[in-house]
Amino acid sequence: MKVIGIIAEYNPFHNGHAYLIRKARELSGADAVVAVMSGDFVQRGVPAIYDKYVRTRMALAGGCALVLELPLAAATGSAQRFAEGACAVLDGIGVIDELWFGSEAGSMDLFHVLAGVLSEEPPAYQTFLKKRLAEGCSFPRAREDALVFYISQTGKWVLPTDESNVEFVNHSEKEETDGISNRIRTFLKSPNNILGLEYCIALRKRKSSIVPHTIPRAGAGYHDCSIDMAGGFNSAASIRHYIFDGGDPGRLESSVPEGVFKVLQEAGASSVPLCENDFSDMLRYQLMCEEGRLADYLDISEDLAARISKRLDKYRTFSQFAQLLEAKNYTRTHINRALLHILLRIRMEDLQRAVCPGYVRLLGFNSRGREVLEEIRNSAAARIRTTAKISALPEEITRTDVFASNLYEAVRSQKNGQDFVHEFSRPVILVP
């Protein structure tokens, strides 16, 4: 059986996701698709619009055979940490042949080029990166500048001759330095390119046998919040904004696959979507309780901790405070993630477990997914445990993830006037 992997949030699932799954299966000849999906909180540092069980049902209705949960600290981490955790899961279950992802680039050449530099981090690159960081640049901008500097100064450009073979040639024979710089900067401005690049780096560092492939991203841009009710490829952001603005999910039929639309309708009828401001009071309480210990949490430097404490009296809501904390060297997503890590009590040890997991949570599967599970159980290459019963695992390695899921459920159930359901009581989603 050929099994391929996809890394996703499905926040929510839409036609673009279905297109990626369909094309990846077509081009790879795969028998099944395994998705590693974020849980109740996502990489932008905010809660998912619907819980992970609703989104698992969407994924299974949209073409996935098996859905595994990305550990919390990786799911809410930087692009690098997100990729490391997800690739660790795919590599660790021992049955994935290829990783497929959508990108603005649409071809693998620059992914191979830049992943080669970033996985090795040669001294000249490191020196320039540290210089730009010391000058107050954000990490993404500093890394972009260091890549451009390194490739320009070394006078070498990596050109892939095929998927597994690259050769070094003098870039002056192929492209002018300015052209190379522009290509790199344009490439790194696109969020799906950045994530795809991190996947490639993570697989290289793990010396994984999983081969990465990309498909051109179709339809609306990642950050495009406008919605076309005629359907096509609306972005997840545009669908979220439409729902948060009170739009009728029943009008989204042309924006999502038929099976997913049924799940979306049911979710819209039974549950109000969540956003970061639903957690505002809890975040403020946590900030006040931990004011002297903020730097203990993931992504909180001493400087950011001082910045938070200095402005705490001006706190109003999660989103308002995140905007207040923005600075030249702190992007909005970095701030969101940092505040979320304080709220959810995520520390460095949680991240270390997330990027080197000993287990992975099974969220749902169908009949083909059952076959994949059997392959995983029989695989000599499998190095991590796949489990449906998180309650059976040691509390010290599950405490943070369980707390986050229960906090999300507490807010969701209260907002919707429904009974609270503990994480340990949640069954795996099974579909025919």
Side-chain angles (χ1 to χ4, degrees), residues 117 120-130 146 149-150 154:
V117 176
E120 297 177 9
E121 295 192 336
Y125 164 82
Q126 291 186 41
T127 299
F128 196 84
L129 176 66
K130 291 174 182 176
F149 169 82
Y150 176 76
T154 56

Side-chain angles (χ1 to χ4, degrees), residues 19 52 162 165 222 260 364:
Y19 172 78
K52 58 191 174 187
D162 58 44
N165 181 30
Y222 181 87
V260 174

Side-chain angles (χ1 to χ4, degrees), residues 10 13-23 62-63 233 256-257 260:
Y10 297 146
F13 196 103
H14 54 69
N15 286 339
H17 297 131
Y19 172 78
L20 172 60
I21 292 171
R22 185 171 63 253
K23 290 297 291 183
F233 293 95
V256 300
V260 174

Side-chain angles (χ1 to χ4, degrees), residues 143-159:
R143 186 171 77 161
E144 177 184 314
D145 290 347
L147 280 168
V148 169
F149 169 82
Y150 176 76
I151 291 175
S152 298
Q153 291 299 309
T154 56
K156 290 185 177 181
W157 182 247
V158 189
L159 296 173

Side-chain angles (χ1 to χ4, degrees), residues 27-156:
L27 295 172
S28 67
D31 299 296
V33 175
V34 171
V36 177
M37 188 187 79
S38 300
D40 292 323
F41 296 88
V42 296
Q43 203 256 337
R44 294 180 300 110
V46 297
I49 187 170
Y50 295 118
D51 70 45
K52 58 191 174 187
Y53 300 101
V54 170
R55 291 166 28 249
T56 294
R57 289 170 59 208
M58 290 180 178
L60 295 173
C64 296
L66 179 71
V67 182
L68 303 173
E69 182 178 2
L70 179 60
L72 175 70
T76 62
S78 64
Q80 177 186 345
R81 292 162 175 171
F82 182 91
E84 287 175 346
C87 288
V89 169
L90 289 176
D91 194 47
I93 61 175
V95 300
I96 304 298
D97 298 303
E98 299 169 359
L99 167 63
W100 286 79
F101 59 91
S103 70
E104 290 82 2
S107 64
M108 288 300 299
D109 59 352
L110 266 180
F111 289 106
H112 288 308
V113 171
L114 301 183
V117 176
L118 293 173
S119 60
E120 297 177 9
E121 295 192 336
Y125 164 82
Q126 291 186 41
T127 299
F128 196 84
L129 176 66
K130 291 174 182 176
K131 176 177 179 293
R132 295 296 284 143
L133 290 171
E135 292 169 351
C137 280
S138 66
F139 180 79
R141 179 55 191 269
R143 186 171 77 161
E144 177 184 314
D145 290 347
L147 280 168
V148 169
F149 169 82
Y150 176 76
I151 291 175
S152 298
Q153 291 299 309
T154 56
K156 290 185 177 181

Side-chain angles (χ1 to χ4, degrees), residues 250-278:
R251 296 189 63 201
L252 294 172
E253 186 170 9
S254 59
S255 298
V256 300
E258 181 180 357
V260 174
F261 179 64
K262 294 177 182 178
V263 178
L264 186 62
Q265 277 189 308
E266 292 170 4
S270 63
S271 186
V272 177
L274 297 193
C275 67
E276 63 266 38
N277 286 341
D278 291 316

